[in-house]
Amino acid sequence: MLSTAFRGSLVSCAAPNARSFVGKNIQNPNQRMVVKVSSPVDASAASAVESEGVPPAVLDGTDAGFVERFGEDTLIARAEEVFATMTGVKDDSVLAEDFRFEFPVVSLDKEAYLKAVRGFSLDQAIPDMNSNAYHFRVDPYEANRVWFTIRNSGTHTGDLKFAGKTYKGTGKVIQGAPECCSYTFNSELKVTSFTGGYVMDRRVGNTGGMGALFGILHAIGAPVPRPGSLMWNILSLVNKIRVGIAAIFAKFTPAPAEKSA
C-alpha cells in the first residue's frame, strides 16, 4: 500500500502566495500545487495542555527544540522540497540512512522502499495523476515532524503493474479521499520516516475508503483487501512479524569492520 506522493507527475510547485487559496475555489482543478497553510507552533499552549493531565505520546527520539533551531518556515519548506523529489525517488539523498516507510499495512526500510517505488508504472498508468497536496504544518508535540494532506486524482489510461499483474487502462477517473501524510526529520534535515495512506474521511471519493495504492486499485476495479477484512488483518500481521524479525536480526548483526587504510 504505497503512497502516490513519490511519483513524478505529483511533483508540485508551491504557489507564490499559497495562503490566498484558503477558503477560495480553485478555478483550474488540473493545476498542480502545494498549498501551505500553517499557523505558528505554540509550544507554550502545548505545554499547558500537557500540564492538565497525561501528556500525549510522541515518537522516541523526538527533539522538542527542533523548531527553535530551524524555524517552522524552514521545516515546511524542507518538506516541500522532499515532496518535490517524489519523496526520495528522484533524489534519495533527502532520505536518512535509517529511513522508514510506515503505512497502514506496509513497513519498509530505505533500500526496500526505493526498490519498490522505483518499480511502479504509475506515470504510464495515470499520466494526469495529481496529489493536490496542501496544509503543510509542523506538529506542536513532535517538533521535527511536518504533516500534510493529499487528495489523489487522475485517470487510468495506461497499464498499471502491481504484484505481478497488469491492469490495462480503463479510462476510469480516480478521486481519492483526503489522506494524512508526514515527514519526520533528523538534525541534518533528512527524512527519517514517511507516513501516509491514512484516510481522514472515507466518505470522500471513489477509492472505497482506502488510501494510497490500494485506493487507486479499488477505483479502477481491481480486487484489493478492504480495511478490517480477514485478508487485510492477515497482511498487517505478516508485515508486523516481518518487521519484528528484521529488527531482531539488526540488533544482533555486528557492524561491518572498518577498512584499514
Side-chain angles (χ1 to χ4, degrees), residues 3 59 100-104 145-148 180-184 193-198:
S3 171
L59 281 177
R100 297 292 311 179
F101 175 87
E102 297 292 347
F103 274 49
R145 186 197 292 263
V146 175
W147 295 95
F148 58 98
C180 192
C181 305
S182 78
Y183 295 138
T184 305
S193 68
F194 169 33
T195 69
Y198 298 95

Side-chain angles (χ1 to χ4, degrees), residues 23-74:
K24 298 183 180 180
N25 293 325
I26 298 176
Q27 299 301 319
N28 181 3
N30 294 320
Q31 182 179 359
R32 286 167 171 76
M33 66 184 71
V34 171
V35 180
K36 170 185 169 184
V37 184
S38 63
S39 56
V41 175
D42 190 343
S44 61
S47 299
V49 173
E50 291 181 18
S51 66
E52 295 177 0
V54 178
V58 297
L59 281 177
D60 291 340
T62 295
D63 185 348
F66 218 75
V67 171
E68 284 74 12
R69 291 204 309 278
F70 294 102
E72 183 185 9
D73 287 343
T74 297

Side-chain angles (χ1 to χ4, degrees), residues 3-5 7-11 30 32 122-123 125-132 150-156 174-176 179 212-213 216:
S3 171
T4 54
R7 64 182 303 283
S9 56
L10 298 190
V11 176
N30 294 320
R32 286 167 171 76
L122 284 177
D123 283 333
I126 314 169
D128 64 341
M129 190 74 175
N130 187 356
S131 67
N132 302 294
I150 64 173
R151 292 177 184 244
N152 293 319
S153 61
T155 311
H156 178 219
I174 299 160
Q175 292 181 308
E179 301 176 36
L213 191 55
I216 292 173

Side-chain angles (χ1 to χ4, degrees), residues 83-99:
F83 186 83
T85 70
M86 301 185 294
T87 312
V89 175
K90 290 174 62 178
D91 178 9
D92 58 31
S93 68
V94 302
L95 308 180
E97 288 306 311
D98 59 348
F99 168 85

Side-chain angles (χ1 to χ4, degrees), residues 12-21 31-36 80:
S12 306
C13 58
N17 186 20
R19 294 176 191 271
S20 65
F21 288 103
Q31 182 179 359
R32 286 167 171 76
M33 66 184 71
V34 171
V35 180
K36 170 185 169 184
E80 292 173 350

